[in-house]
Amino acid sequence: MRLARFRCCRSGAVGVLFGVLLPILAMGAVGVAELAEVMQAKAKLQRNVDAAAIQGAGEFGVDQSAATTERTRLYADAMAESLRLRWAVATTATVEAASRTVTVRQSANRASFFGNLLPPGGWTIAATATAIRTARKPLCVLGTRGGGPLDDGQDSIALQASSAITASDCLVQSNANLTAGPGTVLSAGEARAVGSAAGPIRPAPVTDAPPMADPFAAMRLDAPSLLCDSLSLSLGSGTFRLEPGVHCGAIALLGDATIVLAPGDHYFVGPGLSVGGNATITGSDVVVILKGLVTAQVTGSAVLQLEGRKSGPYAGFVLITDRSYLGDVEISTSNARKLVGTIYLPNASLTVSGANNRIADQSPWTVVVARTIRTLGSANLVINAGYAASSVPVPAGVGPQKDRPVRLSQ
């Protein structure tokens, strides 16, 4: 009898306890389900902004206008459409031209199951992504430092008189100021300056850009030995074949003289290299390395026609000055139209001058990396970017980048 009453009492207590716990358990189950849905929505937001930032950074490579920002925002907004059944979604996008980054932020809000009491004000979630475009236009002209022989010591690239630089498919970068005089034209795929930029530059240049390090700063430029394979050479006519090696003393070509450089590395170690008149210096699969010079110039109607090295430590280079040379390499001839490869003047200036002459315009590709670059008169320095059209390889650090063009930075 007592046992039956005990059982009846315990059953009633269990029923009461179950009745008390059931709403709590139900609310807990609803809370877990709601939290899971919120986490899924937040993950969806993150996927949206990641994809939109990468898309926007990719478009920034071809369109730097405000339209890219708006297209990026709309792209992220469209991907959030499925969330709008329960969430109010807002999207923003910003582009930072100097750092080449695109940032997308998406936030969402909805009422909670518990009447906005838990959490207070309902659920608010957000996600942000920043993508950076690491691949610019192929780097083809780099002024590594200011100073040198330019007028004010502040430009690493300067155009004067009615001269021009035409680099329509690649990047022109000045690590100081970039100045184009009133009668000049600089046409580039992209133009950037660490300092200021002024004058007729197309498209509009990016200023306050981060500097670019000399891509070849670690490259050794030593002559293989101090033994001379040839001595001073002065020609006024005739044709002379010059084998690769160390060429000591002054080299002067005048009149109708021709030097044919045999394939290989040619070190010119001496006080000067002068090519003038109607003289010709030509070579294929060659690099000319100037060391210990006082002057280096190609003037008059002289023909300068060189294709760079196809293999070896200087593969991709056509003209180099050693690091001790602080002067000019002057090209004012009307016949320097084929210079295939990289011109590297680490502490020297490239000066291009003349009257309506086009430099390197018949080359599939050319790259110039010099301390300073100056154009004078009405000369036009033409920098083509047809890298696939030549068997001369492009050195790492210039030309098209090899890494992923776009990546998430955060």
Side-chain angles (χ1 to χ4, degrees):
M1 192 74 166
R2 290 178 180 176
L3 182 60
R5 285 198 301 268
F6 175 76
R7 287 175 178 172
C8 180
C9 180
R10 190 173 68 174
S11 297
V14 169
V16 171
L17 181 62
F18 183 75
V20 172
L21 291 179
L22 181 61
I24 297 175
L25 293 172
M27 291 177 66
V30 170
V32 169
E34 173 136 303
L35 184 60
E37 194 271 336
V38 169
M39 297 303 293
Q40 289 178 351
K42 182 172 174 58
K44 172 65 173 172
L45 290 187
Q46 191 64 58
R47 291 194 296 271
N48 293 350
V49 295
D50 286 351
I54 289 175
Q55 173 79 8
E59 289 196 17
F60 182 78
V62 295
D63 181 6
Q64 290 82 43
S65 72
T68 293
T69 306
E70 182 60 12
R71 284 195 299 268
T72 302
R73 187 190 70 79
L74 292 174
Y75 184 83
D77 224 36
M79 288 191 294
E81 192 61 35
S82 61
L83 291 176
R84 289 194 169 88
L85 295 173
R86 299 193 65 190
W87 295 82
V89 181
T91 306
T92 61
T94 57
V95 172
E96 179 59 49
S99 60
R100 303 179 63 83
T101 57
V102 176
T103 299
V104 182
R105 185 179 190 277
Q106 205 164 62
S107 60
N109 177 267
R110 73 164 174 83
S112 72
F113 180 81
F114 303 105
N116 288 348
L117 296 177
L118 186 65
W123 293 102
T124 298
I125 56 177
T128 302
T130 298
I132 182 169
R133 184 170 181 84
T134 57
R136 303 173 172 85
K137 292 282 187 179
L139 174 62
C140 60
V141 177
L142 173 60
T144 55
R145 286 185 289 191
L150 298 175
D151 293 340
D152 58 8
Q154 299 299 314
D155 299 319
S156 61
I157 301 177
L159 291 75
Q160 300 174 10
S162 57
S163 62
I165 294 177
T166 304
S168 303
D169 297 318
C170 51
L171 167 64
V172 175
Q173 163 102 9
S174 167
N175 277 356
N177 297 337
L178 173 58
T179 302
T184 67
V185 176
L186 192 158
S187 300
E190 183 179 355
R192 296 164 64 87
V194 174
S196 64
I201 302 171
R202 298 192 299 263
V206 174
T207 56
D208 298 318
M212 298 180 105
D214 178 350
F216 312 122
M219 186 170 68
R220 296 194 62 174
L221 303 177
D222 301 332
S225 72
L226 297 178
L227 298 177
C228 298
D229 296 291
S230 63
L231 298 175
S232 298
L233 182 64
S234 179
L235 294 177
S237 62
T239 299
F240 187 83
R241 178 181 172 88
L242 199 58
E243 297 298 326
V246 180
H247 315 303
C248 301
I251 303 293
L253 298 183
L254 302 170
D256 298 316
T258 297
I259 281 187
V260 178
L261 301 180
D265 305 338
H266 292 263
Y267 296 83
F268 289 91
V269 181
L273 173 67
S274 179
V275 184
N278 295 309
T280 297
I281 182 166
T282 183
S284 179
D285 192 14
V286 300
V287 61
V288 173
I289 303 169
L290 306 177
K291 184 177 178 64
L293 293 182
V294 176
T295 59
Q297 54 186 5
V298 183
T299 61
S301 299
V303 176
L304 182 63
Q305 184 170 301
L306 299 174
E307 291 187 49
R309 289 288 277 139
K310 299 177 182 179
S311 61
Y314 298 119
F317 291 86
V318 66
L319 177 62
I320 298 174
T321 58
D322 81 323
R323 303 186 195 283
S324 68
Y325 184 51
L326 307 179
D328 269 349
V329 172
E330 179 188 349
I331 300 176
S332 60
T333 176
S334 56
N335 291 314
R337 305 186 67 180
K338 191 171 186 180
L339 293 169
V340 185
T342 301
I343 299 172
Y344 179 46
L345 317 178
N347 291 312
S349 173
L350 175 64
T351 298
V352 173
S353 61
N356 298 314
N357 53 327
R358 296 167 68 84
I359 306 300
D361 64 309
Q362 295 179 356
S363 310
W365 68 272
T366 307
V367 167
V368 177
V369 176
R371 177 178 178 173
T372 54
I373 299 157
R374 176 173 57 173
T375 60
L376 304 171
S378 53
N380 186 356
L381 176 59
V382 180
I383 305 295
N384 294 321
Y387 307 108
S390 171
S391 57
V392 177
V394 183
V398 296
Q401 291 191 349
K402 309 298 190 298
D403 61 352
R404 290 181 300 159
V406 176
R407 61 177 174 82
L408 289 172
S409 62
Q410 67 177 51

